[in-house]
Amino acid sequence: MRDDSRLPTSPGFWRSPLRGPWFTSVLGLVLLVGITVLFVTGLVSYAAYNPDLSPVNDKTPDKGILGFYLFSWPTDPHWLYRVVQGVHVTLGITLIPVLLAKLWSVVPRLFTLPPARSLAHALERLSLLLLVGGALFEFTTGVLNVQLDYVFPGSFYPLHFYGAWVFFAAFVAHAVLKVPAAVRNLRRLRAEEPASSQEPAPEQELVSPRPDPATVSRRGALWFVGGGSLLLFATTAGQSFDGPLRRTALLAPHGGPDPGSGPNGFQINKTAAYAGITAPETDEDAWRLVVTGRTGTLRLGRAALRELPLHSAALPIACVEGWSTSDQWWRGVRLRDLAALVGYDDPPDVFVESLQRRGAFRHAALRANQVADPRSLLALYVNGEALTPDHGYPARVIVPAAPGVLNTKWVARMTFGETR
C-alpha cells in the first residue's frame, strides 16, 4: 500500500518539485525566530494583567506552574503595552502564509509509514502532531479573537493560554531535533541546489521521486509566500497607528476611520449600549463614586471630583486585540490623591468596579506602583471635553502602560487596600 501512488502514504503521491529540505528549512528558520517572538510577547502580555494580584485579573484558572509570574508590571515607558501587543498580533497575522507554506512543505511526513521506526522517531512524530495541531489552534483562536468572533467553546483566555504552552513545548522539541539539519541545508544557498538523489537520507521523504514539471522555482515560491506576509502586514499594522495608516488596517476589527469626530473621536472596544450602561444611572445628579479605604467610605459626584486638584496626562489606549490609539490628553483626579482621601499617604493596591454588570473585566485590580504613578488618573475629560458615554462617562481609569481592559470605564466603586 505504501507504494501505491494513489495513496498519500506513497512518496509518489506527492508530486510537487518545490518540496525539499532547502525550501522547508528556510520557512522553518523564519518560524523559529517569529514564533519565539510571539511566545515571549504573549508571556509579557500575560504579565501586564498582574495575574497574581487578583483573581479578576487572571482568566486562566488552575494554571499551576505554567502561570509563573516574574515581576510587577511597570508604568514606564507608557507605550510599553501598546508596542508589546501590537507586535504580538501583527507578527502573528503576518506569519500565517509562512506557517501554511511550512505545513504544506512537510505534509508528506504526516503520512510516512511505518508510523514509528524507533522510540526516538515515535517521539518526533508525536511532537510533530502536537506542533501542527497546536499551531493551527493558536493561530486560529488568535485571529478569531482579533476579529471579535468568539465562535469557539469556552473563554479565549484559558484556551489560548494553555494552547500556547502545549504548542511551544512541541515547537521547542521539534526545533532541537531539526535546527541543525536546517542550518546545514541553508549553507547551500550560495551553491546550486542539489539533486534529489544527493539529499541526506533522513530528509529524503520530502522530495518527490517522480516530480511534476516545475512551474516556479523554490526561490520564486518563497517570494510568493513573503509577498502574502507583506500584504497581511500592510493590512493589519495600521491598527496601531493614527491618521492615514489606520485606514490601511482592512483586516483588523478596529481598522478604518476613527469612530465619530472631535475630541472623543478615537477607538473604543465596547460601547455603553453593549455594556448595558443607561443614561439615568450615569446622570450627574444620580451618579456617585464610592471610595473606600482605611478611614472609611466617601461618596463623590462629578461636581465634588471637579473641586479636587485636577491633573493631565498624555496616554494611549491599547487592547489585547492589537489595536491602539496615539496619546490622548486625559484630565482628572490622580488615583493616589483619591487614596489619600481615605487614609493612605503611601498608595496601596486598588480594586475597581464598573457600572457594567456582566462580562469579563467589569472588575479590575491595579498594583500600588500603578496607583502611585502621577499619570494614573480617574479621568473626567479627554482632549479638552467631557468623556462621552462610550469612553466611560461619568469617569474612567487611565493608567500608563496598562492593557485597555484594566482602564475601567463607567467606574462605580474604588476600594483601596483590597484586591479581592
Side-chain angles (χ1 to χ4, degrees):
M1 291 181 63
R2 185 177 185 275
D3 295 328
D4 187 344
S5 62
R6 295 171 299 177
L7 299 176
T9 53
S10 170
F13 180 86
W14 309 99
R15 304 293 298 276
S16 174
L18 294 179
R19 288 191 179 91
W22 182 84
F23 184 68
T24 196
S25 295
V26 174
L27 297 172
L29 289 180
V30 171
L31 289 175
L32 175 65
V33 175
I35 288 176
T36 300
V37 173
L38 282 182
F39 188 72
V40 171
T41 53
L43 283 182
V44 172
S45 177
Y46 173 74
Y49 285 76
N50 290 316
D52 70 337
L53 177 62
S54 170
V56 301
N57 281 21
D58 190 2
K59 305 303 179 183
T60 54
D62 304 321
K63 59 189 180 297
I65 62 172
L66 297 182
F68 67 88
Y69 187 70
L70 300 177
F71 56 91
S72 297
W73 187 249
T75 56
D76 281 307
H78 72 278
W79 41 259
L80 179 59
Y81 189 76
R82 183 184 185 189
V83 171
V84 166
Q85 198 61 15
V87 168
H88 184 75
V89 172
T90 302
L91 178 60
I93 293 176
T94 301
L95 286 177
I96 288 175
V98 183
L99 174 67
L100 294 178
K102 169 69 172 178
L103 295 179
W104 173 86
S105 73
V106 299
V107 70
R109 284 180 175 162
L110 296 178
F111 297 92
T112 301
L113 294 177
R117 295 189 292 265
S118 64
L119 178 60
H121 185 245
L123 292 175
E124 180 187 342
R125 295 295 295 275
L126 178 61
S127 73
L128 186 61
L129 289 175
L130 292 175
L131 182 68
V132 172
L136 293 175
F137 180 83
E138 284 298 287
F139 277 80
T140 299
T141 55
V143 169
L144 289 173
N145 179 64
V146 170
Q147 298 298 328
L148 306 180
D149 290 331
Y150 301 110
V151 296
F152 41 80
S155 170
F156 166 76
Y157 294 94
L159 288 174
H160 203 67
F161 177 83
Y162 294 125
W165 279 107
V166 172
F167 167 58
F168 197 71
F171 177 76
V172 170
H174 190 73
V176 169
L177 292 169
K178 294 300 181 183
V179 164
V183 172
R184 286 196 303 269
N185 289 321
L186 288 182
R187 286 174 179 170
R188 302 168 182 162
L189 280 171
R190 294 182 181 179
E192 185 177 353
E193 295 178 40
S196 61
S197 60
Q198 297 173 297
E199 301 291 353
E203 301 165 352
Q204 187 74 17
E205 59 203 31
L206 288 179
V207 182
S208 175
R210 297 188 300 276
D212 288 329
T215 57
V216 64
S217 68
R218 289 175 180 171
R219 285 184 174 85
L222 287 177
W223 279 108
F224 180 76
V225 173
S229 290
L230 183 61
L231 178 62
L232 288 178
F233 176 83
T235 52
T236 302
Q239 66 177 341
S240 299
F241 301 92
D242 288 319
L245 278 178
R246 190 178 292 276
R247 294 179 174 85
T248 68
L250 304 178
L251 299 183
H254 301 281
D258 290 330
S261 60
N264 280 265
F266 57 92
Q267 299 295 334
I268 58 172
N269 200 10
K270 195 179 294 182
T271 65
Y274 177 88
I277 306 300
T278 62
E281 62 187 335
T282 59
D283 183 84
E284 183 160 343
D285 293 331
W287 176 82
R288 293 293 182 271
L289 171 69
V290 179
V291 183
T292 300
R294 180 185 295 153
T295 58
T297 298
L298 298 175
R299 294 175 60 85
L300 304 170
R302 271 182 64 93
L305 290 169
R306 286 196 298 266
E307 292 176 0
L308 297 173
L310 299 183
H311 300 270
S312 297
L315 300 172
I317 294 288
C319 277
V320 70
E321 292 90 1
W323 67 267
S324 60
T325 73
S326 60
D327 290 353
Q328 310 295 324
W329 277 99
W330 307 90
R331 186 163 178 79
V333 181
R334 287 175 174 169
L335 298 187
R336 67 184 189 183
D337 291 344
L338 291 173
L341 291 178
V342 287
Y344 294 99
D345 295 328
D346 187 13
D349 302 336
V350 64
F351 185 73
V352 184
E353 301 173 69
S354 173
L355 290 172
Q356 183 180 342
R357 295 174 182 82
R358 60 186 179 276
F361 296 105
R362 63 187 182 278
H363 305 148
L366 299 172
R367 283 196 176 275
N369 68 305
Q370 293 174 310
V371 177
D373 193 293
R375 296 165 297 178
S376 296
L377 305 174
L378 179 72
L380 306 175
Y381 304 93
V382 64
N383 298 325
E385 286 192 5
L387 298 169
T388 62
D390 287 344
H391 281 295
Y393 180 88
R396 69 168 297 162
V397 167
I398 185 72
V399 174
V405 291
L406 299 186
N407 292 311
T408 308
K409 296 194 287 188
W410 314 294
V411 176
R413 179 184 293 268
M414 305 182 74
T415 305
F416 288 91
E418 181 180 332
T419 54
R420 299 189 187 182

